[in-house]
Amino acid sequence: MITASELVDLPTEWKIQLITELWDQIASHPEPPQLPKWVDDEADRRFDRLEKNPELGITEDQMWRIVDDARRTL
């Protein structure tokens, strides 16, 4: 098993590749993963914050402009 301390020294590109491969394996599993309660709690916290402060968010059009701009820089 790989330890967290061993991952620290990996180049960023390798870390991203590892994350991608792990995510693809998780996504290909027929049943969704069971997430810890803190994930739901954090999602609820962020949703509540955004509802109280909608100016913190962006529109869908703004989001796609950001994505398109990022794609152009690749």
Side-chain angles (χ1 to χ4, degrees), residues 45-63:
R45 184 192 69 77
R46 291 180 185 199
F47 182 79
D48 290 343
R49 183 172 180 235
L50 189 57
E51 272 195 323
K52 291 174 186 165
N53 305 286
E55 71 279 0
L56 296 175
I58 61 175
T59 66
E60 184 177 350
D61 287 340
Q62 290 170 317
M63 184 267 309

